[in-house]
Amino acid sequence: MKNSDLKIYTYGNSNAKPLIFVHGFPLNSGMWENQTRELSSDFFVVTYDLRGLGKSPVPQIPYTMFDHADDLLTIIRELDLKEPIIGGLSMGGYILQAFLMRHDFKPSGIILTNTRANADDNVTKLRRSNGIGLIRSGKTREFIKDFIPTCFCEKTKILNPDIVEKLIESNLDSDPAGVAGALFAMLSRPDTTEFVKSIDIPTLVIGGSDDLVTPASMMEETFGSIKNVSFNIIPDSGHLSPIEKGTEFNEIVRKFFKNF
Ligand code: MLT
C-alpha cells in the first residue's frame, strides 16, 4: 500500500522532531486529538488511519500485523521522517512491536502505551472470532457501542461520559470489513514477549492504573526489563490513557523526550 492510499495527518513544524502515533482498535487517528493539539508545539506530529479503519482504504484480502508494520515503514519513507519517535496504543503497540521485529529500522525512541506483548490465548481468539461473526451478521455498530466503553475506567465513565460518547460516535461508521480485518490481524499476531527483551531503543512505557484490557502489572512485567525504559502508570486512567488523561500523558512524553 502506498502512503497516498492511507489517510495521513501532520501537525506542527516539519523541521521539528517527528513523532508518529499509531492508533488502537477499533479506532482511528482521531483518538490522538489531545496529542496533536498539545504536542505539535514540540514535535512534528504524524497520525494516520490504519488500513481498514478511519478514512483509509479497506483491503479485500486479510492482512496481518506485519502488513501494518510495512505501512508504517512506507509512511516514514514517503514523508522522509528522520529518526522519528514512534508511539503505539494497544493494537498500535502490537504494530510497533511487529515493525521493530520485521524491519531493520531504528526509531530514536518508542512509546508503548496500554499494550501487551503476548499473543492471543485461545479464549481471546474465540472472543475475536465471535466478534467477527457478529460483524458478519450486520451488527458492527452494536459491536463498537459495546466494545468502546469497556476501554474506559469507571471514573472516566462517571465523570466524563461525554468523552465516551464522543469516541463511540466518531467510530460508529467504521467499515465492517475493516473492523473484522483488524480483529483478524490481532488474532493472528506474533507473540513478541521474547523479542521485547532485545529492544535497545529509549522506550517510554505508559499504562493506566485502572486499565482492565492491558493491566499495569502485566505491562511492568513484560516491558519493565527493556534496557533503557521509563515506566509510568497514570492514576485514574483506563485503557485509553492518551484520551482519558491527555495532559498527564503529554507531560510524560515531553519530559522523556525533551532532549531528543
Ligand atoms: C486496542 O485497544 O487496540 C484493543 O483493545 C487491543 C486488543 O483488543 O487486544
Side-chain angles (χ1 to χ4, degrees):
M1 194 170 285
K2 298 194 303 300
N3 121 29
S4 44
D5 296 329
L6 293 171
K7 188 71 188 163
I8 301 171
Y9 305 82
T10 64
Y11 305 83
N13 183 340
S14 60
N15 293 320
K17 183 80 179 166
L19 170 54
I20 310 167
F21 281 119
V22 188
H23 67 78
F25 170 85
L27 310 178
N28 58 53
S29 57
M31 68 147 286
W32 299 110
E33 194 185 329
N34 291 326
Q35 286 62 48
T36 57
R37 193 181 54 245
E38 293 178 21
L39 291 175
S40 53
S41 47
D42 305 70
F43 301 93
F44 180 53
V45 181
V46 178
T47 64
Y48 65 103
D49 292 333
L50 296 173
R51 55 166 74 201
L53 295 168
K55 293 190 163 43
S56 283
V58 185
Q60 292 308 303
I61 297 177
Y63 41 94
T64 67
M65 279 309 149
F66 293 120
D67 291 311
H68 282 300
D70 293 351
D71 289 344
L72 181 53
L73 187 66
T74 304
I75 289 172
I76 293 169
R77 289 207 172 126
E78 293 198 13
L79 294 189
D80 196 20
L81 301 173
K82 301 270 188 291
E83 301 180 350
I85 298 162
I86 309 177
L89 173 127
S90 200
M91 182 173 72
Y94 309 158
I95 293 169
L96 177 51
Q97 293 169 74
F99 171 86
L100 297 173
M101 218 175 178
R102 177 159 167 88
H103 294 295
D104 191 19
F105 178 97
K106 212 168 170 182
S108 60
I110 59 170
I111 306 168
L112 292 168
T113 185
N114 306 87
T115 192
R116 64 171 68 240
N118 60 305
D120 283 2
D121 58 19
N122 286 345
V123 172
T124 310
K125 282 184 175 151
L126 183 59
R127 184 164 44 77
R128 307 254 199 233
S129 182
N130 290 340
I132 292 171
L134 202 67
I135 290 163
R136 202 185 289 120
S137 71
K139 297 212 163 65
T140 309
R141 290 169 81 90
E142 287 81 348
F143 175 85
I144 289 172
K145 273 188 202 157
D146 286 348
F147 185 87
I148 287 183
T150 64
C151 296
F152 288 96
C153 72
E154 285 310 310
K155 212 162 180 175
T156 303
K157 284 193 265 195
I158 292 165
L159 297 179
N160 285 311
D162 293 357
I163 299 187
V164 184
E165 279 315 310
K166 188 178 159 203
L167 195 67
I168 294 173
E169 201 50 48
S170 58
N171 290 281
L172 217 44
D173 290 330
S174 301
D175 190 298
V179 180
L183 281 167
F184 183 77
M186 288 196 287
L187 186 158
S188 60
R189 76 184 187 277
D191 190 304
T192 49
T193 311
E194 280 307 306
F195 171 76
V196 292
K197 294 179 185 157
S198 68
I199 292 179
D200 192 9
I201 299 168
T203 300
L204 180 59
V205 179
I206 305 176
S209 61
D210 299 352
D211 182 347
L212 300 179
V213 183
T214 50
S217 54
M218 180 273 297
M219 286 188 69
E220 183 154 27
E221 199 176 313
T222 312
F223 303 117
S225 59
I226 293 176
K227 262 184 221 129
N228 184 353
V229 72
S230 165
F231 190 81
N232 303 264
I233 297 303
I234 302 183
D236 295 329
S237 174
H239 184 56
L240 297 171
S241 302
I243 300 176
E244 296 182 76
K245 294 283 168 185
T247 304
E248 289 85 340
F249 179 93
N250 293 344
E251 266 322 296
I252 294 169
V253 172
R254 267 201 198 98
K255 198 165 154 213
F256 187 72
F257 292 111
K258 73 171 181 297
N259 295 321
F260 273 60

